[in-house]
Amino acid sequence: MAYSSILKHMLGEVRACLEAEGITRQSRKFLEHGHHAAGQDSPLVMVACSGGRDSIALASLAHTVCGMLGVRCGAVVIDHGLFEASAPLTRTVVERCHGMGLSPVVDRRIQVLPGGKGVEAAAREARYSAICDTARKEQAALVLLAHTADDQAETVLMGLLRGGGLSALAGMPRSMNRDGVRFARPLLDCTRRQTTQACRDLHLEWWDDPSNGEGVGTRLSAEYPLRSRVRHDLIPMIEEFWGSDIVTQLAVGAKSARSDQDYLERRVDELMDAVVTLHEGTAIVEASPFEDASTGEVALSIEAKALEGEHPAIRLRILSRSLESLGLAPARRHVEAMDNLVVKWHGQGPIVINGGYSALRRGHVILICKDGGHANR
């Protein structure tokens, strides 16, 4: 078929994404005309497909590109079970993926337990967990996510509304590792208008999640997810105020901020190994550098003296990541209080941290202790 300019652009984006991830043409025979099946030992690329316009377009485009490279292309379809018609919808999406030639196509039904996170966050965590589990079982080399420039713009605005800093401006990364699985987002420079047109050009059907508020003529109520309200109400209001396309500008800005974020994270990676030590149930004893400690266990130690000369942007990231390595969700006030132990040390007492941990400085070392070993000292 003759490809439109939009399809050519999107195919190029997918091709460039795979090449950046080290997935290239498997042999010269895939340069020749005719159909050539990918070998069973070739890399497997899986598309996380919800059945929406973005992921359906990506599934088709990825299948085309993978076919050109001699790479296998499959899909994983997640049924969140959040509405009555989810099961038949999942079957329809699976059939469409099969119809496009993707294999394997794996469907997983998950249970979403909101807890204190809210449905949207809990569904995202459960979805990633199921995708990672599937990718590991299928030995997938890469999982493709269909986030677009519109999703990136929404993510930036949501992060800013929640008080985020540089990480909010940076939005979603183009690629990431999660639980041993490699993910990539090839459509971050493509808009939702383009994925819609791609589906029409390729004669693909899609469905619109009712929680997105598609077609609702009035402002969405607070019952809708925040992302839906940002998409449906906030972005159009900003565009009306600004008088031009804000999605592309936010996405371009996110790319620039991501570059800065990546540099800072690389510097943090370098320092983490040098200044942070994880301990496995090390008892706190009356010996240097813990000479006056007597109860609890050391979970983690930080070389404060080595850290104090670093820029606050680096220090705060290292302290935050240190707490995250213990499975904690660090509050800003805890991280800043720990930073005071580094740069404003005057013998102050322990800091009580959430999750039954406390932090205390002893000499040139900050101790993160489990079960509040220092909390009452």
Side-chain angles (χ1 to χ4, degrees):
M1 63 173 289
Y3 291 124
S4 65
S5 59
I6 287 177
L7 288 176
K8 288 178 181 177
H9 169 66
M10 296 176 72
L11 286 166
E13 291 292 296
V14 175
R15 175 76 176 269
C17 172
L18 296 188
E19 289 183 349
E21 296 298 323
I23 299 175
T24 56
R25 185 174 286 111
Q26 299 301 291
S27 76
R28 291 191 60 82
K29 75 177 182 181
F30 292 99
L31 287 169
E32 302 170 358
H33 291 292
H35 176 73
H36 304 285
Q40 286 303 306
D41 59 346
S42 66
L44 171 62
V45 174
M46 298 193 79
V47 178
C49 188
S50 67
R53 66 192 75 192
D54 301 333
S55 63
I56 281 288
L58 178 58
S60 177
L61 296 165
H63 178 258
T64 298
V65 172
C66 286
M68 295 163 56
L69 300 178
V71 173
R72 292 179 294 147
C73 186
V76 54
V77 183
I78 304 298
D79 177 5
H80 297 80
L82 293 176
F83 54 93
E84 190 175 346
S86 66
L89 172 64
T90 297
R91 289 194 294 272
T92 299
V93 176
V94 168
E95 290 169 3
R96 287 174 181 167
C97 289
H98 278 305
M100 288 186 283
L102 279 72
S103 179
V105 179
V106 181
D107 63 289
R108 294 281 302 272
R109 185 178 177 88
I110 60 176
Q111 185 176 14
V112 178
L113 302 172
K117 298 180 178 180
V119 174
E120 191 176 7
R124 181 173 59 253
E125 290 300 313
R127 178 169 64 252
Y128 271 113
S129 178
I131 292 172
C132 287
D133 182 58
T134 300
R136 286 190 296 265
K137 287 180 179 177
E138 298 294 334
Q139 297 183 315
L142 183 66
V143 176
L144 299 182
L145 303 173
H147 297 119
T148 65
D150 294 74
D151 296 302
Q152 185 73 293
E154 294 156 12
T155 299
V156 169
L157 289 173
M158 290 166 62
L160 292 175
L161 288 171
R162 290 166 171 157
L166 178 59
S167 60
L169 289 171
M172 296 177 287
R174 287 189 171 274
S175 59
M176 64 179 182
N177 291 312
R178 180 170 178 142
D179 298 335
V181 176
R182 186 69 175 169
F183 288 85
R185 298 180 170 95
L187 302 185
L188 280 184
D189 285 337
C190 303
T191 66
R192 190 168 294 124
R193 288 189 183 93
Q194 288 175 313
T195 60
T196 301
Q197 189 58 51
C199 286
R200 289 170 177 156
D201 290 345
L202 296 168
H203 307 292
L204 300 173
E205 296 183 33
W206 70 86
W207 78 289
D208 289 315
D209 188 335
S211 70
N212 290 338
E214 195 79 24
V216 176
T218 58
R219 289 182 59 181
L220 300 183
S221 70
E223 295 178 356
Y224 282 86
L226 176 60
R227 180 176 294 275
S228 299
R229 288 181 283 137
V230 168
R231 177 184 305 177
H232 187 276
D233 299 329
L234 182 57
I235 287 180
M237 282 192 293
I238 295 175
E239 289 188 335
E240 182 180 0
F241 170 81
W242 189 245
S244 65
D245 169 36
I246 196 68
V247 165
T248 301
Q249 290 175 276
L250 287 171
V252 169
K255 187 183 296 186
S256 176
R258 173 59 55 182
S259 178
D260 294 343
Q261 172 92 344
D262 288 346
Y263 170 77
L264 290 171
E265 292 302 325
R266 281 198 300 273
R267 179 63 181 147
V268 169
D269 288 341
E270 294 168 359
L271 282 174
M272 282 290 290
D273 291 338
V275 305
V276 178
T277 303
L278 278 169
H279 301 268
E280 295 184 3
T282 304
I284 301 174
V285 297
E286 293 184 341
S288 180
F290 318 134
E291 62 272 13
D292 60 348
S294 58
T295 61
E297 292 181 344
V298 177
L300 181 146
S301 60
I302 303 168
E303 298 292 334
K305 198 68 177 175
L307 194 57
E308 66 181 5
E310 295 294 331
H311 190 279
I314 300 296
R315 293 199 312 268
L316 294 172
R317 279 175 166 79
I318 287 179
L319 296 172
S320 180
R321 195 188 290 185
S322 297
L323 296 179
E324 289 171 356
S325 70
L326 298 175
L328 302 175
R332 180 77 180 184
R333 67 182 186 279
H334 293 148
V335 175
E336 290 177 346
M338 286 175 61
D339 192 47
N340 286 335
L341 294 181
V342 177
V343 296
K344 297 180 180 179
W345 170 239
H346 51 76
Q348 60 262 47
I351 300 163
V352 177
I353 303 171
N354 57 329
Y357 287 83
S358 60
L360 183 73
R361 178 160 174 167
R362 283 290 175 260
H364 296 324
V365 180
I366 295 173
L367 306 177
I368 309 297
C369 305
K370 188 170 174 57
D371 299 325
H374 300 309
N376 299 313
R377 292 177 56 79

